[in-house]
Amino acid sequence: MDRHYLKRILFSGALALTTLHLCAQWDFKTDYFKIRISNRGFITSMKNSTVSPQREFSPADRPSPLMQLYDGAGKIYYEPVKASYKAAEKVLTLTYTNGSVARIRIAPQQKYFRLQLLSLSKREGIEAIQWGSYHTNITNLMGEIIGVARDTSAAVNYAIGMLALNDNTLGGLATTVGDAAPFQYIIHTPDAKRFPLPDSLHEGQVFSLGGNGISDVAFYAHKEPWYRILYGDAAQIDKAGRISVSYQSRDRSGKREVFFSLIPHMAANIPNHIDVQPLPGVDYIGSSVALWGSPDSTALMDVVQNIVLAEKLPYPTINGKWVKDPAAFVPDALTAGNLNDSIISYTSRLGFKAISLYDQGFLRPNRGNEGYIDGKHFERKPIRMTSGNLSHKAFSELAAKKGIIIGRTPITNSLAPGTMDASPVPSDSLCYQQKRLLAKSINATDTMIIVDDPRYLEEIASWEGHCANLNMIKIGKELIHYLGVSDKPPYRLLNVQRGYWKTTPADHPAGDTIYKLQVTVNYGYDGIIPNMQLQDEIAKHYADVCKINGLAYYDFDGQEFLFNNGHGYYSTKRFFHKMFERAKALGVPYIRFTGATLSEGSWHYQSIWNVGGGKNLYDVDTREWGSTTSQGKDLRDVTYANFFPVGMGGNFPIGKNSTVEQYEHVQAISVGVGTTYSLRLNQKDVESCPQKEAIFSVIRTWEDARAANAFPRWVKTLLSDPAKSWRLEAGADKNTWTLYQMINGNKTRSILLKRAKGY
C-alpha cells in the first residue's frame, strides 16, 4: 500500500475522531423536558418534549453554561471549556478557564433534573458558583423571585425554571451585592403586540422606584404594563426581552465586605459598607438545584409541587392543601377597633381560617419574657371583650373551637430599646457594620472618643432611611450615639451621647473594640440587628411565643431587615428554617405568615403577601389594581409570575354603606386572578351595615366553591376581567354552584360549577 495513501487514511481517521470529540454531547430528559449538554459544558438545547415537533427554547446565539465559577475579589466569571460524562455515575466533569475542575451529579427525575455540585478542585479565590444563567427565548412572564420563564399563551404554554434544594443555594446571580437583589423597575413588556414599548424605552432598562425612598406606598410609581417591579434576580431580561434564569451559592466562611442597599438608586437609601459575618461551614459544595420544564398550565401543581414534596422542601398547608394551591387561597380577618366579641363568629361564618390582631400594634421580639407576651400567669389581658378582656392564650382557645388561628404583627428581627438583647444591657451578639479600636482610654463621662481608623464611620447606620437617632456604636456593654467623624487626625467621633438607650456609661481602656452597629429604621421600627447566631435564637423565640400563647399567624413587618446582615436571602431562609424547626419540635402546627416583602428566601415558607391595603392595592369602586398608586398592579404582576397568591392587602372594610355587589366583585377578582386579602373588620362598623348578613353569605359561597376547586381555568379567565360582574349561587347538595354573569342587574349566561375530585 502507498505510504502517502496510508498517511491520508490515518490523518482522515484522526480528523474523524477529533470531530467526534468536538461534537460530543449528551441528552437528558424528563417527562416534559429535554436538554442537551455539549462537550464544553454548555446547554445547547432545551425542548418541550410533549409536542411534535418539539419546540426549542434555547437561543441559537446564547448557549447556557451549566455552571459558572465566580471570583468575588476580581469580579470575574469563569466558564467551562471542557466536559466529560460518566453515565454509570451520572457525573459530569467540567474544566474551567482558570484550571478548576468541578464534578456535578446530573440525576434526571420523572419531572425535573436534580443538579448537585459534588466537588471543586483549585477553588482558591472562588467565592461563589452559579447555576446558569440558563437562557431561553421566552419573552412573556419573568418570575424573578423563584427563577422561572413562562409563556402563558395557548400557542406555546410552556415554562422553564429552577428551585433551590438547599438553604445556601439562592435565586439570583453570584454578582448580587449582599445576596438580595436591588428593589427597582425594569422595562419588560409581557406582550409586545398588546403592549408595545414606547420608542424612548428598551427591554432590560432599569429605573429607580418612585417617591422619596421612605414612604413604601410611594415606591410604586408606574401604572404602565411594561414597568415591571423587581423583587429578586433569579430571572433576568436581555435587550430582546428574552428571559434567563439563575441560581447561585456562596462560600460564607471567609471575611467579606459588601457595599449594600436594597434600594441603591435613592438618596434616602444609599449603600453602606458592611463587614459580613463569616459563617464557618456554610459553603457551596453540595449546592443543588432542580431544573425543570413543563406545560405552564400545569407546572405549579404537577411539577413544582412534585419537586417540593420529593426533595422535602417546606410544604405548608391550609385546609389540608398546599398553600400554593389556588384552591387553598383564603382571605384572613383583620381586626380594627379592639372590640372582639364577634370577630371569631364573623371569621367562622365567612369561611376564613385566621384572625390577625392588627389593632394590638407591634409585637417586638423580647427573649426576656421567655415567650410569655401576657406575663407568666397570663395576667395581661389586651384582647378587649364586653364580657371581660382576655389574654392571647384564652382568646386563641376560643378561636380554636371554631378551627381558627390568631396572630400578631412583629417587627421581625428588630431588637427594640428596652428588650433583653438591646438595652439596658446589650447583647454581645449584635450585628455590626464596622469594627474599630479605641485609640485612647475614656472614663464614664468622656465624649472625646478617638478611633484608630475613621473609614466608613461617617456613614449613618443602616442602608434604609439612614435615621440619625439610630447611629450607634457599642463598647463593652455601653451604647453610644454619635453623628460624624472628624476629617483630620486624631480621628474622633462627633456629637457623642454616652449611655444611649439607658445603657450604663463606663470606663473603657485603649484598645477596646468599637462596634458600629447595624440597625433598622425609626418610625416605630427602631431596633438593632442581631448577628446570625442571635437571629437564630430570635427565630426560635417566635416559635416559643406561638406554643405558649396559642398564636399561629404572623405578619412580619420589617421583613427586609433580615437582609441587613449582608447574607440576604440566605439569612431569610435560615430564619424561617429555624422558626419552623423549633415549632415542629414544640408540636406547633404550621405558622401562617405574611410580611413586608417576598423573596426567594421566604417563598417556600410564606403563605400570603398581604402588604399595604386600601385603594393602593385594589379599588373596588373604580375596579382597578391601585387607583392611587401602581402598587396593586406591581404586586399583582410580580406574584402572579412567581406562582404566588396575589395580595390585596388590608382592605374592603364592611361598613354602613357596603353592598353585596361590591363583595361579589371582590370575590370574583380574588378567585379569577388568584388572590388573598385581609378583610378589615371593626365590630361597630360591621353591625352598622344593613346588608351584613347577605355580604357574609356571598363571601362564604365564593370561598366554599374556591376550596372545592370548582373554577376551571377558562372560568377564572372570565372572572379576572374587572369590567364584568358576577353572581354565584350554591346548589342544594353543597357540591355544585351556578355562576351567572350580571348585566344591568340581570342574570345572564349561567355556568354550572362542580366540586373537583380530591377537594
Side-chain angles (χ1 to χ4, degrees):
M1 182 180 289
D2 181 84
R3 282 194 305 169
H4 294 292
Y5 179 71
L6 182 59
K7 276 185 177 181
R8 286 198 299 273
I9 292 176
L10 291 172
F11 177 78
S12 298
L15 183 61
L17 287 171
T18 303
T19 303
L20 284 172
H21 174 71
L22 290 173
C23 294
Q25 54 197 9
W26 303 276
D27 290 340
F28 304 90
K29 62 181 181 178
T30 68
D31 286 356
Y32 314 123
F33 193 35
K34 182 179 178 181
I35 65 172
R36 174 168 291 169
I37 300 176
S38 74
N39 68 341
R40 287 186 56 230
F42 281 70
I43 296 176
T44 56
S45 177
M46 293 187 283
K47 288 184 176 180
N48 175 2
S49 59
T50 69
V51 297
S52 183
Q54 296 183 357
R55 184 184 289 269
E56 179 64 74
F57 289 97
S58 178
D61 63 331
R62 294 193 81 191
S64 306
L66 186 71
M67 191 185 83
Q68 297 186 81
L69 309 180
Y70 181 65
D71 176 342
K75 299 188 181 340
I76 300 169
Y77 274 113
Y78 297 110
E79 292 185 340
V81 291
K82 186 174 70 174
S84 61
Y85 181 64
K86 290 186 178 179
E89 300 175 13
K90 297 182 179 178
V91 172
L92 187 79
T93 300
L94 297 180
T95 302
Y96 289 84
T97 51
N98 68 331
S100 295
V101 177
R103 295 175 65 250
I104 297 169
R105 176 169 288 124
I106 303 178
Q109 308 297 307
Q110 185 179 1
K111 297 177 180 178
Y112 63 99
F113 301 114
R114 192 181 201 281
L115 310 178
Q116 184 176 25
L117 175 61
L118 302 178
S119 66
L120 180 68
S121 68
K122 194 181 177 185
R123 53 174 292 174
E124 295 78 14
I126 303 303
E127 181 183 303
I129 61 99
Q130 181 176 304
W131 299 100
S133 299
Y134 300 147
H135 307 302
T136 79
N137 55 26
I138 294 172
T139 60
N140 180 204
L141 299 186
M142 167 190 59
E144 82 284 13
I145 294 176
I146 61 169
V148 60
R150 301 176 58 188
D151 190 320
T152 60
S153 68
V156 179
N157 185 29
Y158 204 74
I160 295 172
M162 280 197 284
L163 286 179
L165 303 183
N166 64 311
D167 283 357
N168 192 34
T169 302
L170 311 177
L173 302 168
T175 53
T176 302
V177 177
D179 291 323
F183 185 26
Q184 58 195 6
Y185 279 109
I186 192 169
I187 298 301
H188 174 62
T189 177
D191 188 326
K193 290 183 179 179
R194 290 178 61 204
F195 310 115
L197 293 185
D199 292 339
S200 59
L201 300 175
H202 63 78
E203 288 279 349
Q205 198 171 353
V206 170
F207 287 92
S208 171
L209 302 177
N212 58 11
I214 297 172
S215 168
D216 56 358
V217 170
F219 291 162
Y220 308 95
H222 289 282
K223 293 188 177 184
E224 303 93 328
W226 47 80
Y227 275 90
R228 175 62 156 76
I229 208 154
L230 292 178
Y231 274 85
D233 66 341
Q236 307 91 40
I237 294 290
D238 70 8
K239 290 184 178 180
R242 300 177 300 186
I243 302 167
S244 305
V245 294
S246 311
Y247 269 69
Q248 58 96 354
S249 185
R250 199 174 303 280
D251 178 0
R252 301 185 183 278
S253 63
K255 187 175 180 180
R256 289 186 296 129
E257 182 181 84
V258 297
F259 189 46
F260 175 76
S261 170
L262 190 65
I263 317 175
H265 306 292
M266 294 185 141
N269 301 289
I270 58 174
N272 275 167
H273 291 86
I274 304 169
D275 277 341
V276 181
Q277 180 187 357
L279 300 175
V282 184
D283 190 19
Y284 48 65
I285 302 299
S287 172
S288 185
V289 295
L291 171 63
W292 59 272
S294 83
D296 181 79
S297 55
T298 55
L300 175 65
M301 296 304 296
D302 184 22
V303 178
V304 177
Q305 182 174 220
N306 173 261
I307 295 169
V308 170
L309 288 171
E311 298 292 339
K312 296 181 170 54
L313 299 175
Y315 188 74
T317 62
I318 190 165
N319 294 334
K321 301 297 181 184
W322 187 35
V323 294
K324 304 298 188 296
D325 182 343
F329 297 171
V330 59
D332 305 308
L334 187 76
T335 61
N338 196 20
L339 181 59
N340 299 286
D341 301 327
S342 300
I343 189 66
I344 294 172
S345 171
Y346 292 163
T347 306
S348 177
R349 292 171 62 194
L350 290 163
F352 298 175
K353 300 299 179 183
I355 299 171
S356 173
L357 296 169
Y358 193 72
D359 50 8
Q360 293 297 318
F362 287 140
L363 180 68
R364 291 172 171 80
N366 182 11
R367 296 191 306 139
N369 63 27
E370 299 179 17
Y372 291 85
I373 58 178
D374 290 330
K376 281 290 183 70
H377 304 288
F378 307 102
E379 58 272 18
R380 286 187 62 251
K381 301 182 188 300
I383 314 300
R384 185 179 163 218
M385 309 278 280
T386 302
S387 59
N389 296 352
L390 298 176
S391 66
H392 287 81
K393 182 175 176 61
F395 188 71
S396 73
E397 290 169 349
L398 280 180
K401 292 177 181 178
K402 296 286 188 179
I404 294 166
I405 59 175
I406 71 165
R408 290 284 304 274
T409 301
I411 315 182
T412 314
N413 61 342
S414 176
L415 305 177
T419 60
M420 173 179 162
D421 294 304
S423 70
V425 182
S427 170
D428 290 331
S429 299
L430 300 177
C431 179
Y432 58 86
Q433 291 186 335
Q434 301 294 326
K435 182 168 67 172
R436 300 288 184 262
L437 296 177
L438 187 62
K440 181 181 178 182
S441 64
I442 57 173
N443 63 33
T445 60
D446 282 336
T447 56
M448 183 71 72
I449 298 177
I450 309 298
V451 298
D452 67 325
D453 183 353
R455 281 181 309 151
Y456 312 137
L457 296 184
E458 78 283 358
E459 297 176 352
I460 298 178
S462 181
W463 61 267
E464 185 174 6
H466 307 292
C467 303
N469 69 304
L470 294 179
N471 204 58
M472 285 180 270
I473 60 169
K474 174 180 172 289
I475 309 178
K477 291 294 185 180
E478 182 185 357
L479 300 181
I480 300 171
H481 181 266
Y482 82 99
L483 279 176
V485 61
S486 63
D487 56 3
K488 295 178 181 178
Y491 298 106
R492 61 186 179 88
L493 302 183
L494 306 177
N495 304 296
V496 169
Q497 183 180 341
R498 300 291 301 274
Y500 203 53
W501 278 12
K502 299 182 179 179
T503 57
T504 302
D507 297 348
H508 302 289
D512 253 12
T513 303
I514 298 172
Y515 298 97
K516 178 178 174 59
L517 298 179
Q518 177 63 301
V519 297
T520 59
V521 292
N522 47 33
Y523 312 107
Y525 294 86
D526 308 57
I528 303 170
I529 298 295
N531 73 5
M532 194 63 78
Q533 287 74 25
L534 181 53
Q535 184 173 289
D536 290 347
E537 297 307 310
I538 297 299
K540 296 173 188 176
H541 171 75
Y542 280 121
D544 293 344
V545 168
C546 286
K547 174 65 175 178
I548 292 167
N549 303 279
L551 272 60
Y553 175 102
Y554 282 129
D555 177 357
F556 282 109
D557 209 343
Q559 195 176 344
E560 75 275 12
F561 298 154
L562 293 170
F563 305 155
N564 283 26
N565 54 30
H567 286 289
Y569 305 147
Y570 171 76
S571 172
T572 307
K573 284 185 181 180
R574 180 162 166 161
F575 178 83
F576 289 119
H577 190 153
K578 294 291 183 183
M579 184 178 79
F580 282 104
E581 186 176 62
R582 173 68 160 227
K584 183 178 180 180
L586 294 173
V588 175
Y590 172 69
I591 303 168
R592 181 171 174 83
F593 79 89
T594 179
T597 191
L598 177 69
S599 70
E600 192 271 330
S602 66
W603 187 90
H604 285 287
Y605 296 97
Q606 192 163 333
S607 319
I608 50 177
W609 191 21
N610 284 323
V611 63
K615 295 182 183 297
N616 299 313
L617 269 295
Y618 190 85
D619 188 331
V620 69
D621 296 319
T622 62
R623 295 192 171 196
E624 61 184 312
W625 287 92
S627 60
T628 52
T629 74
S630 67
Q631 186 176 18
K633 181 272 290 186
D634 287 333
L635 298 189
R636 177 199 64 195
D637 291 352
V638 69
T639 48
Y640 184 85
N642 285 282
F643 294 122
F644 197 86
V646 180
M648 299 163 97
N651 220 336
F652 320 123
I654 298 176
K656 63 181 180 179
N657 297 319
S658 298
T659 65
V660 167
E661 289 75 20
Q662 289 175 326
Y663 293 90
E664 290 273 18
H665 177 68
V666 167
Q667 288 297 135
I669 291 294
S670 184
V671 171
V673 176
T675 84
T676 63
Y677 59 90
S678 296
L679 183 64
R680 193 178 298 273
L681 295 171
N682 181 308
Q683 184 171 312
K684 290 182 179 179
D685 293 341
V686 173
E687 294 304 319
S688 74
C689 179
Q691 298 190 41
K692 179 191 78 171
E693 295 299 330
I695 290 170
F696 275 36
S697 177
V698 160
I699 295 174
R700 181 59 183 260
T701 299
W702 281 90
E703 288 305 317
D704 286 348
R706 169 154 53 182
N709 199 22
F711 298 93
R713 187 180 176 92
W714 68 270
V715 171
K716 289 182 180 180
T717 301
L718 294 174
L719 295 174
S720 65
D721 182 353
K724 292 182 171 65
S725 297
W726 304 91
R727 180 173 297 170
L728 185 67
E729 295 180 358
D733 60 358
K734 297 184 179 181
N735 292 309
T736 60
W737 294 262
T738 304
L739 180 66
Y740 299 97
Q741 185 172 356
M742 303 297 291
I743 298 178
N744 297 324
N746 299 313
K747 295 180 184 178
T748 66
R749 185 185 185 178
S750 67
I751 303 170
L752 181 64
L753 305 174
K754 297 180 180 180
R755 182 181 298 275
K757 186 178 179 180
Y759 291 84

